[in-house]
Amino acid sequence: TQLLEQSPQFLSIQEGENLTVYCNSSSVFSSLQWYRQEPGEGPVLLVTVVTGGEVKKLKRLTFQFGDARKDSSLHITAAQPGDTGLYLCAGARAGSYQLTFGKGTKLSVIP
Amino acid sequence: NAGVTQTPKFQVLKTGQSMTLQCAQDMNHEYMSWYRQDPGMGLRLIHYSVGAGITDQGEVPNGYNVSRSTTEDFPLRLLSAAPSQTSVYFCASSLSYRPEETQYFGPGTRLLVL
């Protein structure tokens, strides 16, 4: 059973469109992180959310942590080809040293 | 700072061979970890360390050993390689064991076991 379920698994959109990626779990997390990974490279942190209901914005990216700290979403406004990549959510349950990753959402933004 | 470095970048092994994947960081980070990434599986934690001399198992530890004799280095040993260990391996480090800390990943080692 996957602790963190990401959806959709694949997403192909035109430049300028909006999109939302989801990260869901039945478990409560002390924090959730979003990473972006480009081919041939390691993941790079985009944001960390730690408070239930928290919303963080990073330019055209908006991240939300669910009130119950069981889910998170990533919304991209006016997607650009540079947004193409694999988006991964990751979290750890309270008291755990182990970071668990979702399977990722592969995003392709077509010019 | 070089950040997190991994060697080698690519490796081909025959079944039964052993090898060590090297990982080093120059950021004085306490927490280091190893992940494997397989298609459609995301990143899965193999082993982690919260400080020099302290290691523990992650989600998929079988077939792998680690040690942490210094803060900087965290090598991953494959004792007897199997085709199921074909994967991309990433080492990561963070300032502390707190999960909200930023994880800094190395560039990865691509391993093929024949």
Side-chain angles (χ1 to χ4, degrees):
Chain A
T1 302
Q2 189 74 12
L3 191 60
L4 282 169
E5 298 284 349
Q6 281 190 244
S7 61
Q9 189 175 357
F10 299 98
L11 192 55
S12 182
I13 62 171
Q14 294 291 130
E15 181 176 0
E17 292 184 346
N18 301 333
L19 66 114
T20 302
V21 175
Y22 299 93
C23 177
N24 296 307
S25 176
S26 57
S27 299
V28 176
F29 287 87
S30 59
S31 61
L32 271 177
Q33 297 178 319
W34 285 92
Y35 289 81
R36 186 171 80 191
Q37 183 180 22
E38 299 190 21
E41 299 181 5
V44 176
L45 180 71
L46 295 173
V47 78
T48 299
V49 285
V50 296
T51 304
E54 182 177 4
V55 176
K56 280 191 174 180
K57 292 189 176 183
L58 185 65
K59 296 184 180 178
R60 295 176 293 101
L61 279 60
T62 301
F63 304 86
Q64 187 162 6
F65 200 12
D67 291 340
R69 304 210 313 273
K70 292 183 179 181
D71 56 84
S72 181
S73 64
L74 157 60
H75 182 80
I76 301 179
T77 303
Q80 299 178 359
D83 295 328
T84 293
L86 179 67
Y87 289 81
L88 297 157
C89 67
R93 288 179 286 188
S96 173
Y97 297 154
Q98 299 190 32
L99 199 62
T100 298
F101 280 79
K103 292 184 179 182
T105 294
K106 190 171 184 180
L107 171 65
S108 295
V109 181
I110 303 165
Chain B
N1 287 351
V4 179
T5 58
Q6 291 184 240
T7 56
K9 290 186 179 180
F10 303 95
Q11 184 70 49
V12 179
L13 290 179
K14 294 182 179 178
T15 297
Q17 288 184 318
S18 62
M19 78 160 296
T20 299
L21 280 64
Q22 300 293 343
C23 174
Q25 52 89 11
D26 61 359
M27 298 175 282
N28 201 30
H29 284 175
E30 288 296 320
Y31 186 89
M32 296 185 74
S33 54
W34 276 102
Y35 294 87
R36 60 177 290 173
Q37 186 173 35
D38 303 295
M41 295 297 293
L43 287 155
R44 292 183 292 170
L45 182 64
I46 304 172
H47 285 285
Y48 64 95
S49 169
V50 299
I54 305 169
T55 63
D56 206 345
Q57 297 180 351
E59 180 186 356
V60 288
N62 292 341
Y64 307 95
N65 273 359
V66 292
S67 60
R68 183 98 180 269
S69 56
T70 67
T71 299
E72 295 78 19
D73 300 298
F74 192 42
L76 178 72
R77 298 183 188 84
L78 280 69
L79 306 175
S80 178
S84 62
Q85 294 178 304
T86 293
S87 189
V88 181
Y89 291 85
F90 288 99
C91 178
S93 73
S94 62
L95 190 60
S96 77
Y97 64 85
R98 291 165 55 199
E100 62 267 30
E101 293 280 2
T102 299
Q103 297 289 322
Y104 294 88
F105 285 84
T109 293
R110 285 144 188 83
L111 176 66
L112 173 63
V113 183
L114 300 174

